[in-house]
Amino acid sequence: MAAKPRLRFAVIGVNHYHIFGQTQCLLDAGAELAAVDLAGGEPHIVAGFRDKFPQARQVRDKAEILEDAAIQLVVGAAIPYRRAALGIEVMRHGKDYMTDKGGFTTLEQLDAVRRAQKETGRIYSICFSERFENRATVKAAELVRAGAIGRVLQTVGLGPHALHNQPRPDWFFRREPTGGILADIASHQVDQFLYFAGATDAEVVASQVANHNNPQYPEFEDFGDIVLAGGGATGYIRVDWFTPGGLGVWGDGRLFVLGTEGYIELRKYIDVAGRPGANHLILVDGKGIRHIDCNDVPLPYGGQLIADVLERTETAMGQEHCFLASRLCLEAEAKARRLGHLAGDAGA
């Protein structure tokens, strides 16, 4: 007899490729994909989802999912400005919610979700895939927690992305649907700064955004950076859409973690120095230099989130951490100095 699934979940919102990783991490941890609402999804992503996950029952309306008492968790990668409202709806139906990053596009959305989460006691989790779905980052966290580099003093997180590696819908180039580059892709690096620094509060010291090379999309931000301080550490973040076509992957994502007794460098998706594959970790300490291949490191997020849903714990990610990372991204976006061809900028 087949084992009973640990948890039944459904998908609402198929507008970003991250939905594949979000779904797979739960399946790998023993959950069952019970249903999917494909309405309003991007056609190429919808087609790919049907092919990859044919077991999911397709519903005609999301109400079929929200009103199904046997479904405990809803997962989605909707257009960013719709994620918060969907999360509130899910929580008010007595279910937990896991969304793609960024989880919000405005501070008002964050405040509304905070209230709903407190009232319902449900989980609002953001799948920060550059930490939760990257094996080198999981290994780095293990080493830092074990004291391998002493006390963390700084992180440098680099999140370059490729602009034309996949179809981009019209909403992708507009500010309101996405929230801007810092609210969106920089959320990964903000999450990692807080996590590695062990910070329970932090502030945005400085931030800026730019449209350097895409004047045909006046609202689009193709570059952004942030300086953060918190937990006795500082963080620098740079995100952009300038990955060259010759790299071979969507982005040369890096993370540097500086400690009092050493440092760690992660070459997450490619090693431009020539080592094959992804998930490269370089540890430098008082004993020397060591390269660690992290491709066999387990990914705990899916299993931890399932346990949190079933046991009402916070092992995958603390709820306050989720909200703090989101607030910092939104504040950085709101206060950013604006450069380049950005709409409404008279100084560039």
Side-chain angles (χ1 to χ4, degrees):
M1 296 179 62
K4 182 180 179 181
R6 297 178 62 195
L7 173 143
R8 298 180 81 240
F9 73 100
V11 168
I12 303 175
V14 183
N15 296 94
H16 195 292
Y17 279 107
H18 285 162
I19 194 61
F20 295 99
Q22 293 170 261
T23 301
Q24 194 62 54
C25 79
L26 293 170
L27 293 175
D28 290 344
E32 175 191 349
L33 175 56
V36 58
D37 176 14
L38 298 173
E42 308 308 321
H44 58 290
I45 301 177
V46 166
F49 195 92
R50 284 190 177 120
D51 289 342
K52 187 172 178 63
F53 305 111
Q55 71 271 37
R57 174 175 60 91
Q58 296 180 37
V59 301
R60 295 183 179 181
D61 188 281
K62 66 180 179 180
E64 294 183 51
I65 291 172
L66 296 175
E67 295 169 6
D68 186 342
I71 292 173
Q72 299 145 289
L73 174 70
V74 171
V75 177
I79 298 174
Y81 73 151
R82 295 176 179 168
R83 293 171 184 172
L86 175 59
I88 291 172
E89 193 173 14
V90 167
M91 291 189 292
R92 295 206 184 285
H93 278 82
K95 305 180 191 305
D96 298 305
Y97 180 59
M98 183 245 280
T99 181
D100 185 17
K101 62 78 216 159
F104 311 89
T105 57
T106 68
L107 287 165
E108 291 76 16
Q109 288 181 358
L110 175 58
D111 289 342
V113 167
R114 271 188 173 277
R115 290 193 297 270
Q117 191 279 323
K118 184 176 181 179
E119 291 166 6
T120 63
R122 311 313 301 183
I123 296 168
Y124 190 105
S125 185
I126 298 174
C127 183
F128 294 114
S129 57
E130 292 190 29
R131 175 159 68 95
F132 295 139
E133 296 179 18
N134 183 265
R135 299 175 193 276
T137 314
V138 171
K139 182 64 176 180
E142 176 187 316
L143 291 170
V144 168
R145 294 291 180 264
I149 60 171
R151 180 169 58 89
V152 171
L153 303 175
Q154 190 203 35
T155 66
V156 176
L158 307 180
H161 283 61
L163 186 56
H164 300 296
N165 63 324
Q166 59 183 264
R168 302 292 181 183
D170 290 342
W171 60 259
F172 172 83
F173 296 100
R174 293 189 284 117
R175 173 68 179 270
E176 183 184 8
T178 64
I181 194 170
L182 301 183
D184 183 18
I185 60 177
S187 61
H188 289 299
Q189 285 71 33
V190 173
D191 160 70
Q192 289 167 79
F193 164 74
L194 294 173
Y195 184 76
F196 282 97
T200 57
D201 197 10
E203 64 173 326
V204 177
V205 177
S207 59
Q208 54 191 359
V209 296
N211 181 332
H212 285 305
N213 201 46
N214 292 276
Q216 71 275 30
Y217 303 116
E219 297 182 23
F220 183 61
E221 298 166 358
D222 57 25
F223 176 91
D225 64 4
I226 309 173
V227 177
L228 297 170
T234 59
Y236 175 72
I237 292 163
R238 190 205 81 210
V239 289
D240 66 75
W241 291 97
F242 290 107
T243 293
L247 184 67
V249 296
W250 59 265
D252 184 9
R254 304 278 189 100
L255 176 67
F256 301 82
V257 186
L258 173 67
T260 54
E261 299 174 24
Y263 65 89
I264 290 171
E265 177 188 348
L266 304 184
R267 301 179 183 183
K268 296 188 178 189
Y269 309 110
I270 190 171
D271 180 6
V272 294
R275 293 186 183 94
N279 293 302
H280 300 275
L281 185 152
I282 299 166
L283 171 64
V284 184
D285 59 14
K287 300 176 182 179
I289 304 168
R290 181 159 51 116
H291 171 265
I292 301 174
D293 182 337
C294 300
N295 282 295
D296 292 330
V297 173
L299 296 174
Y301 172 70
Q304 289 174 338
L305 183 60
I306 290 172
D308 290 341
V309 171
L310 298 177
E311 301 169 15
R312 312 316 299 167
T313 51
E314 295 188 12
T315 61
M317 174 173 55
Q319 190 63 75
E320 284 305 311
H321 172 100
C322 174
F323 289 152
L324 174 59
S326 301
R327 175 174 65 81
L328 292 169
C329 295
L330 296 167
E331 289 180 352
E333 187 71 50
K335 71 184 293 185
R337 181 178 176 225
R338 298 167 66 79
L339 309 171
H341 303 284
L342 291 170
D345 178 32

